[in-house]
Structure formats: structure tokens, C-alpha cells
């Protein structure tokens, strides 16, 4: 079994010391899926939703969330992100939206948590903006798609 890195010798939670790690370019991509009624999907796809630009607001929320990740997840390091991107892919057949995030930096620790937080909060914001007309929406399939950089190199799901 792999040793847990967020525990000290006494078994107490602590932040991992990354001061001796190499600074490398690190990227991570993550996703979330939100399923909804075809009517709601049509409204947001065509920019006709009563609350306005659902994708635009959700994109900004995801970007802000990535920047605040260390405030939300107790043992995450505060990171100087150099890039955060959020993309939306409309999936007509499944009446859903695939949200993908990309986080990037030049640093000593990975950005998977930031990418996951960005995708998750973008999905939550989309849900919040559309919940009055479609309270049965489902957020699912939140996962890391890919990471690069650091001693483990490239990983892809």
C-alpha cells in the first residue's frame, strides 16, 4: 500500500512539503457532465434562457473556483495558475453538457484539484442558473482526464 502523503509521523493531517520538488510545467484536464431536459438544453444552447448567458457565467465561476481551490480544500497548496480554461460541449443525443477544464502552471505541485474544482463549480453554477426550470438536472462523471508534469510525467484516463 502506498504511504499517505498528507499524514505526518503521528498520523495527523498536514500539508505536504513541496519545497524540494523541481519546478516544472504542470497541466491537468478534468470534466463534469450535467444532464437536463431537452427543453432546458435548447434554451441555454440558443442563448434564450431567462437568466442570460448561462455558459458565460458558468465559465467565469469555474475560473474563479480554480483560483480559490486552496481556500476550499484544506491541504491544497495555494497556486499561481498561469492558465484556466473552461469549455462546454453540447450533447444533443444525451441531453447533456460536457464541461471540461484545463489548469496550468509552472510550479512544484500538480493542478488536478484545481481542474476538478473548476469543472465542478462550472457545473454547479449551470445547475443554479437553470434549477427553477429544471430541478431534476443531474451532475455526474466528475473526473481527471489527464495530467502532465512532475516526477510522474504524463497520465491520461
Amino acid at each position: 500500500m502506498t504511504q499517505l502523503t498528507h499524514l505526518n509521523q503521528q498520523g495527523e493531517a498536514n500539508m505536504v512539503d513541496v519545497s524540494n520538488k523541481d519546478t516544472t510545467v504542470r497541466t491537468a484536464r478534468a470534466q463534469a457532465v450535467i444532464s437536463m431536459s431537452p427543453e432546458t438544453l435548447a434554451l441555454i444552447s440558443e442563448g434564450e434562457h431567462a437568466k442570460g448567458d448561462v455558459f458565460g457565467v458558468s465559465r467565469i465561476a469555474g475560473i474563479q473556483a480554480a483560483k480559490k481551490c486552496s481556500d476550499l480544500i484544506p491541504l491544497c497548496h495555494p497556486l499561481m495558475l498561469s492558465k484556466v480554461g473552461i469549455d462546454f460541449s453540447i450533447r444533443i443525443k444525451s441531453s447533456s453538457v460536457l464541461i471540461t477544464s484545463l489548469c496550468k502552471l509552472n510550479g512544484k505541485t500538480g493542478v488536478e484539484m484545481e481542474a476538478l474544482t473548476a469543472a465542478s463549480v462550472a457545473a454547479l453554477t449551470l445547475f443554479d442558473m437553470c434549477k427553477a426550470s429544471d430541478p431534476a438536472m443531474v451532475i455526474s462523471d466528475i473526473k481527471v482526464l489527464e495530467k502532465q508534469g512532475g516526477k510522474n510525467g504524463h497520465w491520461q484516463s
Side-chain angles (χ1 to χ4, degrees):
M1 183 168 97
T2 304
Q3 183 180 358
L4 300 175
T5 59
H6 285 79
L7 299 177
N8 65 15
Q9 296 293 340
Q10 294 76 37
E12 302 163 336
N14 72 326
M15 183 184 271
V16 174
D17 182 0
V18 297
S19 55
N20 291 326
K21 291 176 99 179
D22 290 333
T23 298
T24 63
V25 175
R26 296 165 184 261
T27 61
R29 290 186 320 109
Q31 73 165 37
V33 175
I34 183 164
S35 302
M36 62 195 67
S37 70
E39 296 79 17
T40 300
L41 185 61
L43 283 174
I44 64 174
S45 299
E46 297 163 10
E48 299 293 327
H49 195 277
K51 290 202 175 179
D53 182 5
V54 173
F55 291 136
V57 173
S58 296
R59 178 176 288 111
I60 295 298
I63 292 168
Q64 284 182 246
K67 293 167 32 178
K68 292 292 191 178
C69 186
S70 66
D71 293 336
L72 301 170
I73 301 175
L75 300 177
C76 278
H77 294 85
L79 301 179
M80 291 295 299
L81 296 169
S82 57
K83 170 71 177 164
V84 180
I86 306 285
D87 290 308
F88 302 94
S89 298
I90 298 164
R91 302 181 341 178
I92 301 291
K93 286 184 180 179
S94 61
S95 192
S96 64
V97 176
L98 171 65
I99 301 163
T100 54
S101 65
L102 166 71
C103 291
K104 185 176 181 179
L105 61 66
N106 199 3
K108 296 179 177 232
T109 187
V111 290
E112 299 94 326
M113 296 312 301
E114 288 72 14
L116 286 165
T117 301
S120 299
V121 171
L124 290 169
T125 303
L126 199 154
F127 188 102
D128 182 51
M129 292 185 75
C130 298
K131 68 183 183 253
S133 61
D134 192 356
M137 290 178 291
V138 175
I139 297 171
S140 64
D141 299 318
I142 297 169
K143 64 181 181 178
V144 174
L145 298 171
E146 180 180 19
K147 70 176 240 87
Q148 293 185 44
K151 69 178 181 180
N152 294 327
H154 184 236
W155 176 88
Q156 194 168 354
S157 69

